[in-house]
Amino acid sequence: MNKTIAIFLFLLCYLSTYSQKKIEVSNDKRDQFFYDKMPENCNKFGLEDLRNSTDSLRIRIWSRNSTIEVKQQSGVKAYLTQWVRWQDPIINKVEFETEISKQLLDSLLAYDITTIPDDTKWGIDGRYVNIEVSTPEKYRTYTYWSPHLNESNNRFKVAKIEHLANTILNRNKYFNEFIETIPPGGYGLSSGHIDRFLPEGSMESSLYQEVKKRMQLELGINENTSHTKFPFFIIDQKPSYMGGLNKYKLSEVKEIKIITKNDEESRLYGTMATNGLILIETKK
């Protein structure tokens, strides 16, 4: 009986708190979709549901592979959450000092982030920028589709807001540092496949070991080399990666050819040979 009463009181308090905050979501299908998925996405990326926030102000900007958030209560704090892979994501979180956090908040408020109206314009190619604004009295979310500086004043503001937030928190620097710590693989990133030598103790085929040795000697690649400096692999005229070498033994290979970025032949392959190229032909 006491347990039932306790559950009832908890639900009553929860619903009472929820009902005190006005929820504003436009009828735009993007806003509705984002709002419906938002609790699931917050849980997936370890984020707080801002509908439950009692802070005097919380702002969160969702863009590609990251959220930028700032909250104001007794002080100001900013956070950057980044991830690779939408399903079963690998997540990185950064908390910023008060000075940077205040700079971010002041910049966002200078562009009226809390009052920018909804936008119904969207297209086929591009991406969304979703913004959440929460106070103790109201929660609001709105969406802009690939905002550009040369469009309407409100789209200019959203584009500028995203650019300022990324710049102030040095988003690209933290993202580059983050992806250098994750295992090799394809994560759906615009930068392509993350390639590097497999961790020490991993299974390595005789072909893998041979190519690794030659990469170290001829291309100067080592365990500390950034994935952005790794060569491009082509096996039997098909694009591949370092891990793909483990599918073959050295005895199954007819030819291994390493082309450096300075070789005349590298011009035939364009940007694929920016960091060098490794051509492998198997005996099939």
Side-chain angles (χ1 to χ4, degrees):
M1 185 68 172
N2 289 337
K3 183 178 180 181
T4 303
I5 294 174
I7 294 174
F8 173 77
L9 291 174
F10 170 79
L11 291 174
L12 183 64
C13 291
Y14 177 80
L15 292 173
S16 176
T17 301
Y18 223 60
S19 63
Q20 290 175 4
K21 180 175 289 195
K22 182 181 179 182
I23 305 295
E24 292 185 0
V25 185
S26 79
N27 292 325
D28 184 86
K29 63 181 181 180
R30 299 165 304 170
D31 291 337
Q32 292 289 335
F33 179 80
F34 172 76
Y35 183 78
D36 291 342
K37 287 289 185 180
M38 184 264 298
E40 175 187 333
N41 292 335
C42 285
N43 182 63
K44 180 184 296 184
F45 301 119
L47 301 169
E48 182 181 341
D49 188 334
L50 296 192
R51 295 175 301 176
N52 301 327
S53 172
T54 57
D55 293 322
S56 58
L57 179 63
R58 290 283 285 271
I59 299 168
R60 182 187 290 147
I61 304 168
W62 295 73
S63 54
R64 184 177 292 132
N65 295 107
S66 71
T67 65
I68 286 175
E69 185 174 337
V70 61
K71 72 173 183 177
Q72 183 177 42
Q73 186 59 16
S74 55
V76 181
K77 242 355 175 179
Y79 307 89
L80 173 64
T81 301
Q82 300 176 307
W83 61 84
V84 293
R85 203 167 51 203
W86 191 260
Q87 297 299 329
D88 189 25
I90 301 174
I91 301 168
N92 179 57
K93 292 181 178 289
V94 183
E95 181 177 327
F96 294 89
E97 298 177 353
T98 300
E99 184 177 346
I100 294 177
S101 301
K102 286 182 177 178
Q103 182 184 355
L104 174 63
L105 180 60
D106 290 344
S107 298
L108 299 183
L109 295 178
Y111 281 92
D112 305 317
I113 190 171
T114 62
T115 58
I116 293 176
D118 301 314
D119 181 46
T120 58
K121 183 175 180 179
W122 63 286
I124 298 174
D125 297 320
R127 61 188 177 84
Y128 296 119
V129 177
N130 299 95
I131 298 176
E132 297 178 87
V133 179
S134 173
T135 67
E137 297 78 28
K138 183 172 70 174
Y139 167 90
R140 175 174 175 252
T141 181
Y142 58 94
T143 304
Y144 275 70
W145 175 272
S146 297
H148 296 291
L149 296 177
N150 60 351
E151 300 215 15
S152 70
N153 186 52
N154 289 325
R155 293 173 74 79
F156 166 84
K157 288 181 179 179
V158 172
K160 195 66 177 177
I161 283 169
E162 186 183 29
H163 174 73
L164 281 171
N166 288 337
T167 301
I168 291 170
L169 300 190
N170 211 342
R171 174 184 175 274
N172 288 339
K173 169 183 174 291
Y174 284 104
F175 190 71
N176 290 335
E177 291 177 353
F178 168 44
I179 61 177
E180 290 296 345
T181 67
I182 65 178
Y187 296 94
L189 300 172
S190 58
S191 58
H193 193 98
I194 295 176
D195 220 349
R196 60 173 64 90
F197 291 152
L198 294 173
E200 186 176 351
S202 301
M203 293 294 294
E204 299 178 356
S205 70
S206 54
L207 174 61
Y208 185 101
Q209 293 173 353
E210 175 65 18
V211 173
K212 179 179 178 180
K213 181 175 66 176
R214 290 188 58 180
M215 286 171 62
Q216 292 171 321
L217 293 173
E218 300 177 42
L219 298 177
I221 303 293
N222 58 51
E223 286 79 3
N224 298 319
T225 300
S226 167
H227 80 280
T228 60
K229 302 298 182 182
F230 258 65
F232 195 83
F233 293 83
I234 296 180
I235 301 178
D236 290 334
Q237 301 181 354
K238 295 180 181 179
S240 187
Y241 305 99
M242 189 75 193
L245 302 176
N246 264 334
K247 298 178 181 179
Y248 306 95
K249 299 176 183 177
L250 189 57
S251 59
E252 297 175 289
V253 172
K254 180 179 178 181
E255 181 182 23
I256 301 172
K257 189 173 185 179
I258 295 183
I259 301 173
T260 71
K261 62 181 179 180
N262 298 319
D263 290 342
E264 187 71 22
E265 193 175 349
S266 67
R267 296 182 181 181
L268 300 175
Y269 297 93
T271 57
M272 287 193 298
T274 299
N275 299 318
L277 192 67
I278 297 180
L279 304 176
I280 295 175
E281 183 182 352
T282 67
K283 297 175 182 178
K284 298 179 183 179

